[in-house]
Amino acid sequence: MGTLTRRSLLKSGLAAVGAGTVAMMGRPSSAEAATTQKVGKAQTFDAVIVGAGCAGLACAIEVHDQGGKPVVLEKMGRPSGNAIFALGSVCVTGTRLQKEQGIDDDSVEQFYQDMMKVSLQRGDPELTRFYAENSAEAFHWLVDKIGVKFKKIIKAPYPRFGRIHRIDGEGITGGGMLIRKLLAAAKARGIPVLYHTKAVELLTNLKMEVTGVRALTPEGLKDFNAKGGVLIASGGFSANREMLTMYMGGWAANLATRGSPYVTGENIALTKPLYAQLVHMDQFHGGPIVAATHVNPADILNAGYGIIVSMQGQRVIDEASTYVAKAKTLPRVTKENRAFQICDSNSKNPQLAGMIKKYTHLNSPFYQAETLEELAKLTDIPAEALIKTVNEYNDALKNNAPAQLNPPNTLKTPYAVETAPYYAFPFEGGMTATFGGPKINVRAEVVNTEQQTIPGLYAAGNAAGGLFYNDYIGGCQLGGATIFGRVAAKEMVARSKKA
Amino acid sequence: MKSIYIVFVTLFAALSMSVFAAPMTIPMGKHLEKGVTCAQCHKENPPAKAVPFEKCESCHGNNDAMAKRTEKVEPNPHFNHLGDVTCTECHKNHSESVLICSNCHKFNLKTP
Ligand SMILES: Cc1cc2nc3c(=O)[nH]c(=O)nc-3n(C[C@H](O)[C@H](O)[C@H](O)COP(=O)(O)OP(=O)(O)OC[C@H]3O[C@@H](n4cnc5c(N)ncnc54)[C@H](O)[C@@H]3O)c2cc1C
């Protein structure tokens, strides 16, 4: 490896990702350069962790606190996965905060049942039970050890109930604040987080046990040996169009990316050569998004007022479906993966004022007009089609037959679209995160196609498969990343001590 | 503006040809006005390489310090959910500055 020059590396496409950006982006440039060794010379750690997201950083901190020596490899110049975009809900039960607020109508068993219901009973039952049983402990760890501050719990309907613990973002996204706090905790412990260091291959011995990671660093390829194991915490593949097409179909690749452009499927690329069992590969979480401005329009889609029409002026989705279903349906029923939420000025709509404020505040175009004709002109929807669609909808309500429309409208109490001014909020269907990846067990060990664990290989967070299917209770992804990242830490430290 | 231009021409004349190729369409703005010299940022002479962000921080303080200075700006470019973005990802000293947030948002922010 020592013979590779920087110049020849720069010529290869791979190097362009890491090395090409170093000069301009490297936050930790000078500090880290001092701690990295010469190209090709391997360093040994108890645990090598791929990805500085929620799962990776939680793992590194726990490895250190268990007496081990971790290293975190991060391909970008700072944590760049989905965590920094997350709203910051953490779904847990049995916490001190719940007790303080007098929330005592939940149990671990009920939580488990609800998680299974939301995954259509297809989430791995053992992983789900492990999550439910360990969620409170993970929450208290975030508060006590990491110093994460949480807001007051706001009770919500099924399946969130009193379980959603929302991180106080103090002005930024809750996930962004979580990562800041995890990084600070890692720094306080002296844990090396190596930026511009991209894991490109897992190292194995002759028994095909995982012994480390080969990574591309600004100085070239370098090996990181792991005595206890390697954690894959590189996130999912929501930003890898080839994989989306391969595992889900071309329509899924047309969804807008809600979060990170850098979660590109290294959980698959790194583990597949070792015959990891890849599960739930077609499963993901979707949500609506305005791709150009990243405004989240979920509230207005959930409000229960108005209709959703395509650029051609047709209703395309049952307005009663969840925002997740709406986002997932859009690329299949419109060629542009784009639609408008059309609302009138019904004063009872609880979300209208807030949404106008949000779109305005974030400079995201939306449209307001005194007549439907005018609205059609502003939105470029054919006026005739829009008016016909609205009239058909209003007539169906009068005839008590909205369920007979195509597509049906099954809102419990639908409201006519009849009071000027009218509004059109454009949005796209987006992908939040993928659920598929190498299957893990409750020790976060990766399982192979023969149901055997692959010694030394662990996965957690969006990188791991098994826990989620179809949908998840909001807040369970950050919860899962924290819980299984820390489980992997304990396993790797124990394994290292035995080695 | 003319005098600034002359300063540059003279400077350039003194530098090697390869330096000439550097894009200097917006030369330094405030820094020149305030008398910040090439050598205060570039340790090599003549200047040839990009300047590490630590240099910026040595005069301006880090993102946390800058965040206090722009705390009234909405949204605060120096305290954001991307994390510790380095100064020179947004502020380009010799060319048009950028706002990396604009890959995903359309904020009314102008980066000096
Ligand atoms: C808009 C949005 C809102 C969300 N809101 C919530 C919420 O409120 N609650 C919730 O529970 N979940 C939420 N989620 C989901 C949540 O953000 C993710 O599930 C979570 O961040 C996953 O964490 P992770 O550690 O697995 O991966 P990530 O946070 O994605 O981190 C992966 C890291 O690995 C790095 N990496 C990738 N490949 C390599 C490689 N080869 N070598 C080195 N490094 C590599 C990446 O650069 C990245 O830094 C939301 C997601 C989005 C997009």
Side-chain angles (χ1 to χ4, degrees):
Chain A
M1 293 293 72
T3 57
L4 273 178
T5 62
R6 185 181 166 85
R7 177 176 274 262
S8 70
L9 264 172
L10 277 167
K11 278 190 194 149
S12 75
L14 194 56
V17 178
T21 51
V22 171
M24 303 303 295
M25 287 184 58
R27 167 88 212 158
S29 55
S30 17
E32 292 311 335
T35 64
T36 45
Q37 300 198 346
K38 278 204 191 100
V39 177
K41 188 151 183 230
Q43 283 176 280
T44 300
F45 298 87
D46 291 313
V48 176
I49 296 153
V50 178
C54 177
L57 291 171
C59 176
I61 292 162
E62 189 64 54
V63 167
H64 173 275
D65 290 1
Q66 299 282 331
K69 204 174 134 214
V71 66
V72 182
L73 315 182
E74 167 56 53
K75 68 175 175 180
M76 303 306 291
R78 54 179 169 270
S80 302
N82 270 340
I84 56 172
F85 304 102
L87 196 59
S89 301
V90 181
C91 186
V92 290
T93 205
T95 65
R96 293 196 301 257
L97 189 60
Q98 286 172 320
K99 217 178 214 162
E100 277 163 31
Q101 290 189 223
I103 297 170
D104 59 359
D105 53 355
D106 199 16
S107 67
V108 165
E109 182 57 28
Q110 192 53 52
F111 188 25
Y112 166 75
Q113 296 290 347
D114 288 346
M115 281 183 76
M116 289 304 293
K117 219 186 280 173
V118 168
S119 74
L120 308 178
Q121 310 297 331
R122 283 171 171 156
D124 183 276
E126 283 179 33
L127 292 178
T128 309
R129 187 169 289 287
F130 191 87
Y131 182 111
E133 284 171 353
N134 290 281
S135 74
E137 196 272 333
F139 170 82
H140 294 138
W141 181 81
L142 286 173
V143 175
D144 298 338
K145 285 270 164 75
I146 310 302
V148 178
K149 285 189 213 131
F150 285 84
K151 297 187 189 177
K152 225 177 139 212
I153 300 166
I154 299 170
K155 279 203 158 196
Y158 165 87
R160 286 172 283 152
F161 297 123
R163 295 165 178 158
I164 306 300
H165 296 56
R166 179 79 82 82
I167 295 168
D168 185 351
E170 298 165 46
I172 58 175
T173 59
M177 185 46 75
L178 172 66
I179 291 295
R180 277 175 188 251
K181 295 251 158 100
L182 286 167
L183 275 179
K187 192 171 174 197
R189 288 164 171 78
I191 297 171
V193 180
L194 307 183
Y195 294 99
H196 299 298
T197 302
K198 173 176 166 158
V200 292
E201 194 185 339
L202 292 174
L203 304 172
T204 58
N205 60 19
L206 291 179
K207 290 187 198 153
M208 261 178 93
E209 296 164 341
V210 175
T211 57
V213 171
R214 176 158 297 168
L216 183 58
T217 77
E219 289 84 33
L221 286 175
K222 228 175 95 174
D223 291 347
F224 295 86
N225 294 334
K227 275 182 5 203
V230 170
L231 175 74
I232 308 295
S234 54
F237 56 95
S238 46
N240 184 322
R241 279 173 192 277
E242 185 212 8
M243 283 191 188
L244 294 178
T245 306
M246 198 156 67
Y247 291 113
M248 300 177 191
W251 66 271
N254 287 336
L255 284 159
T257 307
R258 274 186 76 202
S260 168
Y262 304 113
V263 284
T264 44
E266 280 97 310
N267 59 333
I268 312 301
L270 291 169
T271 64
K272 207 176 162 184
L274 301 188
Y275 298 91
Q277 186 183 144
L278 304 178
V279 297
H280 299 180
M281 295 304 288
D282 59 341
Q283 299 297 309
F284 68 96
H285 183 266
I289 179 101
V290 182
T293 56
H294 280 68
V295 167
N296 184 347
D299 288 343
I300 195 80
L301 299 189
N302 282 341
Y305 290 79
I307 56 176
I308 295 174
V309 305
S310 67
M311 318 282 290
Q312 291 75 34
Q314 315 297 331
R315 275 186 61 254
V316 281
I317 295 170
D318 182 352
E319 286 78 3
S321 52
T322 63
Y323 77 87
V324 177
K326 283 168 184 162
K328 287 184 174 185
T329 308
L330 206 52
R332 292 191 249 211
V333 294
T334 68
K335 88 169 185 294
E336 306 87 353
N337 178 34
R338 191 157 203 261
F340 292 95
Q341 170 74 48
I342 306 277
C343 295
D344 71 353
S345 294
N346 189 321
S347 58
K348 283 194 291 228
N349 185 339
Q351 300 294 348
L352 183 60
M355 203 45 63
I356 291 171
K357 205 167 135 197
K358 190 171 189 176
Y359 271 69
T360 309
H361 178 65
L362 297 171
N363 293 317
S364 204
F366 69 100
Y367 307 94
Q368 174 186 345
E370 285 306 313
T371 65
L372 288 171
E373 282 92 340
E374 236 182 282
L375 194 69
K377 212 183 263 161
L378 292 173
T379 51
D380 265 337
I381 301 174
E384 241 169 73
L386 179 64
I387 292 165
K388 184 161 169 264
T389 297
V390 172
N391 287 342
E392 272 174 13
Y393 179 74
N394 289 344
D395 289 345
L397 297 199
K398 269 184 216 140
N399 301 329
N400 250 333
Q404 261 103 68
L405 288 165
N406 182 22
N409 173 297
T410 60
L411 282 169
K412 270 205 196 101
T413 5
Y415 299 92
V417 178
E418 57 189 7
T419 315
Y422 301 98
Y423 294 91
F425 297 97
F427 68 94
E428 278 102 7
M431 181 173 293
T432 318
T434 53
F435 292 157
K439 166 88 176 65
I440 57 166
N441 61 23
V442 293
R443 287 178 298 281
E445 296 165 315
V446 172
V447 175
N448 72 10
T449 40
E450 289 75 44
Q451 318 293 340
Q452 306 293 310
T453 56
I454 300 173
L457 186 59
Y458 301 81
N462 277 160
L467 183 59
F468 301 121
Y469 195 98
N470 193 55
D471 200 355
Y472 71 103
I473 310 181
C476 281
Q477 292 203 83
L478 290 174
T482 309
I483 291 170
F484 289 102
R486 289 177 60 227
V487 165
K490 289 171 191 157
E491 294 292 327
M492 289 191 287
V493 172
R495 195 164 170 274
S496 183
K497 280 184 185 151
K498 266 192 253 155
Chain B
M1 226 33 223
K2 198 162 203 171
S3 63
I4 293 172
Y5 182 64
I6 291 167
V7 170
F8 260 80
V9 170
T10 334
L11 258 170
F12 272 135
L15 300 173
S16 75
M17 284 307 287
S18 65
V19 171
F20 251 104
M24 300 237 185
T25 43
I26 305 176
M28 308 241 297
K30 266 265 173 70
H31 284 131
L32 192 64
E33 245 171 69
K34 296 280 170 180
V36 180
T37 63
C38 312
Q40 280 178 287
C41 282
H42 290 276
K43 67 170 185 278
E44 72 282 1
N45 187 18
K49 292 194 288 216
V51 171
F53 67 89
E54 287 95 336
K55 252 288 164 346
C56 321
E57 295 189 349
S58 71
C59 281
H60 292 286
N62 61 11
N63 270 312
D64 293 342
M66 280 309 306
K68 281 208 191 77
R69 190 162 152 186
T70 53
E71 67 188 348
K72 297 237 161 61
V73 180
E74 183 37 57
N76 189 339
H78 302 116
F79 177 66
N80 61 66
H81 66 92
L82 295 184
D84 234 347
V85 186
T86 57
C87 318
T88 45
E89 282 179 70
C90 289
H91 297 291
K92 308 288 174 195
N93 201 48
H94 305 296
S95 57
E96 193 86 57
S97 289
V98 298
L99 186 72
I100 57 166
C101 324
S102 305
N103 290 336
C104 302
H105 303 290
K106 282 203 188 103
F107 299 131
N108 284 332
L109 287 176
K110 254 199 82 60
T111 314

